[in-house]
Amino acid sequence: MANHDKPHSYQEPVRKKIADNFIKGLDQTKKQNFGGGNTAWEERALSKYETSEIRLVEILENLCESSSFDCNHMVEEHEDHFETWWFKRQNKHPDLYKWFCIDTINVCCLNGTFGPDCNACVGGSERPCHGNGVCDGDGTRGGNGRCNCDHGYKGEFCLDCIDGYFNEIRNDTFSLCTECHSSCKTCTGLTNEDCEKCKTGWGEDDEGACLDVNECLNDPPLCKEDQYCLNTDGSFSCKGCDKVCSGCTEAGPDKCQSCAPGYQDTEGTCTDVNECEQPDAVCTAGNQECVNNKGSYICICASGYEEQEGVCVTIPEPGAVVSDDSWFSWLTLYLTSVHDQAKENEEAADTVKRPEEHVDL
């Protein structure tokens, strides 16, 4: 879309910024001079710098950033107006924005007014929306003049309060909405005793005050078995138990209802069971050793042995040739292991063979 095709609502803020930057330029250049070194001669020969074309050009050159096409195009489009105001109108019309944007090119309105005829916003141009909102189209030739109320306020005139706020002060032209106590949905004052209605998560006591409902006392519980309930003002949350726990009341290994498999109660705290130190060995195959870890254990081949076909066998010396005796020894060990395992399975027919990674039950 070319610049001249863009709607006024888009162009007005740019023109307002141009006018504002012109005023800033006036302020920034008011103590400057021609810069030639002989100010008295320059002002006699070239007129005063204060009203000179040189000062005007310096101001115009700094109205826009070089990358802003719209702004620079508008400055070029309205350069004649700036020159007219500079040389002929500024004494009679010192407010550049009003003369340029409102009265001359007719695209802006004074603050507190809106629309093609610059009508006053709701609540009046002095305090649009009674000071509690923003007038739609304020300062432009567009908009509908309706109020967009600030947080806490509502209504056509932004004099009413939303839920959670109450009118601390109120008359026909002024309203001060103040936030209720956190327990109140609606209220008439600041405390939990001034609630007209309690928020969800709060309940009314015998004296009419809104108090927090402790959802963690609910029966049945609101959280899962591996979680504990944390009550908060007006609500609650479910937090995961410590991994050493099987059910808990709070966070930590000392708040377990019971210990998880692989852990034991030690003076009220769930600690790891070291299966490798149990009286009955848990790694029963030949040439194995037990390694404990948190909540479980593993069986590995002892030093100098490696696993082959599920059996721990001696690691051959580098370059060694496996003899028939060594092969026979390995086969015997393997068959013995298979026999022992079959016997163990027969004695515990209802149990499932342990995987390499064990978890105590």
Side-chain angles (χ1 to χ4, degrees), residues 323-341:
S323 66
D324 291 340
D325 290 341
S326 298
W327 169 253
F328 181 76
S329 297
W330 175 84
L331 182 59
T332 301
L333 183 61
Y334 174 73
L335 293 175
T336 301
S337 175
V338 172
H339 178 269
D340 290 345
Q341 186 64 57

Side-chain angles (χ1 to χ4, degrees), residues 155-174:
E156 180 181 357
F157 306 104
C158 297
L159 291 172
D160 301 323
C161 302
I162 64 172
D163 283 354
Y165 287 75
F166 71 99
N167 274 124
E168 190 169 356
I169 303 173
R170 169 72 185 263
N171 57 40
D172 291 339
T173 60
F174 181 82

